[in-house]
């Protein structure tokens, strides 16, 4: 089955950390650019970070220095390490796989930052 599935969300206190995972299946993972996005209630979906097939990364200013994207092509998985979390990081986090005109989105995982 062609899909990407996010996991690792949850409730964390401000200043805490979480690591999100996105496992891909049914695709040649190493070909794909992988990205993380998030969407807070009432807001548009926001791009956070991208990692290219060869490992090059980019980050939105809102998460630069706090979030780290990585990938393991042997496990068909991309990760998002999130540190120094803030209440404004609360959102549903989505994974995206992109190659040429092919786009795959996951169902999302909820991250809530609250004391």
């Amino acid at each position: 089955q062609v899909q990407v599935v996010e996991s690792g969300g949850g409730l964390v206190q401000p200043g805490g950390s979480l690591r999100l995972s996105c496992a891909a299946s049914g695709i040649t993972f190493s070909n794909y650019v992988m990205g993380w996005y998030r969407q807070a209630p009432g807001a548009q979906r926001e791009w956070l970070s991208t990692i290219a097939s060869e490992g090059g990364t980019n980050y939105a200013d809102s998460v630069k220095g706090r979030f780290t994207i990585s990938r393991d092509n042997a496990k068909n998985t991309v990760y998002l390490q999130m540190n120094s979390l803030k209440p404004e990081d609360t959102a549903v986090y989505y994974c995206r796989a992109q190659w040429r005109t092919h786009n795959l989105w996951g169902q999302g995982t909820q991250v809530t930052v609250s004391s």
Side-chain angles (χ1 to χ4, degrees):
Q1 188 174 0
V2 177
Q3 62 180 3
V4 292
V5 179
E6 304 94 338
S7 61
L11 174 64
V12 63
Q13 292 187 342
S17 298
L18 278 177
R19 188 176 81 154
L20 305 183
S21 300
C22 170
S25 58
I27 61 173
T28 305
F29 181 78
S30 59
N31 286 344
Y32 281 71
V33 174
M34 301 299 297
W36 285 98
Y37 296 71
R38 68 185 178 191
Q39 189 165 17
Q44 291 188 336
R45 192 167 294 189
E46 174 190 13
W47 168 77
L48 300 178
S49 183
T50 301
I51 185 165
S53 55
E54 78 281 1
T57 59
N58 284 289
Y59 296 92
D61 288 343
S62 59
V63 303
K64 196 175 296 183
R66 298 190 299 126
F67 291 9
T68 302
I69 192 170
S70 61
R71 66 190 295 160
D72 186 337
N73 288 341
K75 295 183 178 179
N76 290 357
T77 301
V78 62
Y79 304 97
L80 187 67
Q81 177 67 44
M82 306 187 296
N83 299 328
S84 303
L85 283 162
K86 307 173 183 179
E88 51 264 43
D89 293 318
T90 295
V92 178
Y93 283 69
Y94 296 91
C95 172
R96 178 189 184 190
Q98 182 182 13
W99 179 57
R100 296 182 179 176
T101 60
H102 190 214
N103 276 285
L104 274 178
W105 288 91
Q107 293 300 303
T109 185
Q110 175 70 47
V111 172
T112 302
V113 185
S114 175
S115 55

